[in-house]
Amino acid sequence: MTTRHDDLIVIDGLIIAKWSRAVFADMRKGGLTAANCTCSVWEGFEATMRNIAQWKRFFRDNADLIMPVHSAADIARAKQAGRTGIVLGFQNVSAFEDQLGYIQLFKELGVGAVQMAYNTQNLVGTGCYESHDRGLSDFGREVVAEMNRVGMLCDLSHVGAATSRDVILASTKPVAYTHIAPAALKAHPRNKSDDEIRFIVEHGGFVGVTMFPPFLARGSAATVDDYLQAIEHVISVAGEDQVGIGTDFT
Amino acid sequence: MTTRHDDLIVIDGLIIAKWSRAVFADMRKGGLTAANCTCSVWEGFEATMRNIAQWKRFFRDNADLIMPVHSAADIARAKQAGRTGIVLGFQNVSAFEDQLGYIQLFKELGVGAVQMAYNTQNLVGTGCYESHDRGLSDFGREVVAEMNRVGMLCDLSHVGAATSRDVILASTKPVAYTHIAPAALKAHPRNKSDDEIRFIVEHGGFVGVTMFPPFLARGSAATVDDYLQAIEHVISVAGEDQVGIGTDFT
């Protein structure tokens, strides 16, 4: 018997975890076809490369559960193989350091999504907790162009409003808020206004809704209903075609 | 009209150069199908990664002349495309630092051949100029096994006799002297005895003969005849099936 679940391609927009076989087994139980899995937040180039080397080991030791994703076709292959496809992702550009040339190296090693800033200012732009966001730096514009060239998604979830807008306009390919909640339901520096949600979607982008309780209407008292309400709100603003989930817990 | 040259697969066992479009154009003029091109000698992990990033740029800017080689099939593709296939190579293991996990990352980025030592002792073994060579270290045995696993050639040209022997015996895949000259014609720490040449070939290995004049019988007075003499000698010892050229100038 084929259930709806068996037919679906289910992609988690962002997961951060203390990775282990138990986590990968849970991904299978949850029916995840693919997920954007964080392998760098504050780390520089070398520490991130060591994290990626560790992921190569995870792929080898858990080949019955997970497989690396280098392209959209690999997601279909993961579905077919009954394994969860892993898109490696960064939540910050710190691993790029000041080297545009590193971007292609990371892409070739399986990094498919990179957030342009994580809460604070960096070489590229500004995160959502900074006092002032003056948008993309000149280097940041080069980074967006290089990410476009190699085929790496720009994630804007933790990014400030001005930098997000600059990236949406500068990018020649669709970008994403992989894991956000709507500001209309809860005022919070990490949440996005209806205008921001509309703006990214109008430019072809994707919005993933996160269930992190502090971003939901009732904060730490939130239940799954609050999460559904957040999803419904984002869909009401953006339409359902470009909305999904991102189950990050940060 | 098809000449013999048009049919040949010509692979240079090792080239080190100040890389530029002029060098790549010369490779085409010389009819090279593929070459093992040095991108790291003394550099550590990060500096080597920057060199590889530079190579990605070379591939992009000179796509009419060269292309990256990740597999034997890519060499056939290069021949078909009328371009020279580039196998990135290291002349030392310094870029591995103390991290076995780095080896797969380099392999995925196109590094196909790595020399186990460059003249002196390192974490893996000992080079041919060291006073004492006590063979592969324990870490070195792990490095050989990992290189075998990912499919990376062990080069022994600048490696000491004891370490070379250990690698030849430890490796489950054929190894190579990519660029050496015969000690029978010129006593020199970099040259290999007839026994050493026979030993590697008996274990399925490959020998490339270099034209660096100090290694040839008449030293700096050497002409192309001395080089041909060296090739003829190595063929007389090893048979012609497993002998080729490596035009390194160090």
Side-chain angles (χ1 to χ4, degrees):
Chain A
M1 196 180 79
T2 302
T3 65
R4 180 144 186 268
H5 173 268
D6 286 338
D7 292 334
L8 285 175
I9 297 279
V10 183
I11 302 180
D12 194 323
L14 185 137
I15 311 179
I16 188 165
K18 181 161 164 44
W19 305 106
S20 67
R21 183 166 176 85
V23 174
F24 305 139
D26 281 345
M27 289 170 146
R28 292 310 308 141
K29 276 189 222 153
L32 274 187
T33 314
N36 166 22
C37 296
T38 297
C39 67
S40 179
V41 183
W42 298 110
E43 293 94 328
F45 177 75
E46 192 165 343
T48 298
M49 281 293 189
R50 290 194 191 200
N51 291 347
I52 294 173
Q54 175 58 54
W55 268 101
K56 303 293 177 185
R57 185 84 213 199
F58 286 143
F59 289 131
R60 216 150 73 236
D61 293 346
N62 303 279
D64 54 325
L65 300 174
I66 58 172
M67 54 184 281
V69 167
H70 289 264
S71 65
D74 283 341
I75 295 176
R77 283 186 202 104
K79 179 73 185 174
Q80 187 72 25
R83 291 184 278 168
T84 298
I86 306 294
V87 180
L88 295 179
F90 300 165
Q91 290 209 43
N92 202 351
V93 292
S94 50
F96 295 167
E97 297 184 354
D98 61 355
Q99 299 294 312
L100 282 179
Y102 285 167
I103 295 173
Q104 181 172 346
L105 302 188
F106 284 125
K107 169 68 181 179
E108 291 189 16
L109 294 172
V111 177
V114 170
Q115 193 164 256
M116 310 311 286
Y118 186 80
N119 301 345
T120 58
Q121 180 164 315
N122 60 28
L123 300 188
V124 159
T126 298
C128 60
Y129 287 95
E130 274 279 347
S131 306
H132 302 283
D133 174 4
R134 294 188 180 85
L136 270 176
S137 69
D138 292 345
F139 178 64
R141 290 184 184 278
E142 294 184 292
V143 168
V144 170
E146 181 66 0
M147 288 174 66
N148 285 167
R149 188 186 70 78
V150 305
M152 194 180 268
L153 178 74
C154 298
D155 186 355
L156 301 170
S157 307
H158 288 244
V159 176
T163 299
S164 293
R165 188 181 167 83
D166 281 355
V167 173
I168 292 165
L169 293 174
S171 179
T172 58
K173 296 188 179 168
V175 300
Y177 292 129
T178 65
H179 59 299
I180 58 97
L185 300 183
K186 172 76 172 267
H188 192 290
R190 268 281 276 114
N191 287 354
K192 305 300 179 187
S193 72
D194 291 353
D195 281 349
E196 290 173 312
I197 291 168
R198 260 188 296 270
F199 191 72
I200 195 172
V201 167
E202 283 167 6
H203 290 79
F206 168 86
V207 181
V209 187
T210 179
M211 61 176 72
F212 190 50
F215 306 159
L216 300 177
R218 292 188 295 160
S220 57
T223 67
V224 73
D225 288 335
D226 297 75
Y227 184 46
L228 293 176
Q229 184 193 19
I231 294 175
E232 278 172 3
H233 180 83
V234 174
I235 288 174
S236 77
V237 172
E240 64 182 7
D241 288 352
Q242 286 160 247
V243 175
I245 61 167
T247 54
D248 179 41
F249 287 96
T250 59
Chain B
M1 196 181 79
T2 300
T3 65
R4 179 142 185 268
H5 173 269
D6 286 337
D7 292 334
L8 283 176
I9 297 278
V10 183
I11 302 180
D12 194 323
L14 187 138
I15 310 179
I16 189 165
K18 183 161 163 43
W19 305 106
S20 68
R21 184 167 174 85
V23 174
F24 305 139
D26 281 345
M27 287 170 145
R28 292 310 308 142
K29 276 190 223 152
L32 274 187
T33 314
N36 167 22
C37 296
T38 297
C39 67
S40 178
V41 183
W42 298 109
E43 292 94 329
F45 178 75
E46 192 165 343
T48 298
M49 280 293 189
R50 290 194 190 200
N51 291 347
I52 293 172
Q54 176 58 55
W55 268 101
K56 303 293 177 185
R57 185 84 212 198
F58 286 142
F59 289 131
R60 214 149 75 236
D61 293 346
N62 302 279
D64 54 324
L65 300 175
I66 59 172
M67 54 183 282
V69 167
H70 289 263
S71 64
D74 283 342
I75 295 175
R77 283 187 202 103
K79 179 72 185 177
Q80 187 72 21
R83 291 183 279 168
T84 297
I86 306 293
V87 180
L88 296 178
F90 300 166
Q91 291 208 43
N92 202 352
V93 291
S94 50
F96 294 166
E97 297 185 355
D98 60 357
Q99 299 292 313
L100 282 179
Y102 285 167
I103 296 173
Q104 181 172 347
L105 303 188
F106 284 125
K107 170 67 182 182
E108 290 188 19
L109 294 172
V111 176
V114 169
Q115 193 164 259
M116 310 312 286
Y118 187 79
N119 300 346
T120 58
Q121 181 165 314
N122 60 28
L123 301 189
V124 159
T126 298
C128 61
Y129 288 95
E130 275 278 347
S131 305
H132 302 283
D133 174 3
R134 294 187 180 86
L136 270 176
S137 69
D138 292 344
F139 178 64
R141 291 184 183 277
E142 294 184 292
V143 167
V144 170
E146 180 66 0
M147 288 173 66
N148 285 167
R149 189 185 71 78
V150 305
M152 194 181 268
L153 177 75
C154 298
D155 186 355
L156 301 170
S157 307
H158 288 245
V159 177
T163 299
S164 293
R165 188 180 168 85
D166 281 355
V167 173
I168 292 166
L169 293 174
S171 179
T172 59
K173 296 187 179 168
V175 300
Y177 291 130
T178 64
H179 58 299
I180 58 97
L185 301 183
K186 173 72 174 269
H188 192 289
R190 269 280 277 112
N191 288 355
K192 306 299 180 189
S193 71
D194 291 353
D195 281 349
E196 290 173 312
I197 291 168
R198 258 187 298 268
F199 192 73
I200 195 171
V201 167
E202 283 167 5
H203 290 80
F206 169 86
V207 180
V209 187
T210 179
M211 63 176 72
F212 191 50
F215 306 158
L216 300 177
R218 291 188 295 162
S220 58
T223 67
V224 74
D225 288 334
D226 297 76
Y227 183 46
L228 294 176
Q229 183 193 18
I231 294 175
E232 278 173 1
H233 180 84
V234 174
I235 288 175
S236 76
V237 171
E240 66 183 5
D241 287 351
Q242 288 162 246
V243 175
I245 61 166
T247 53
D248 178 42
F249 287 97
T250 60

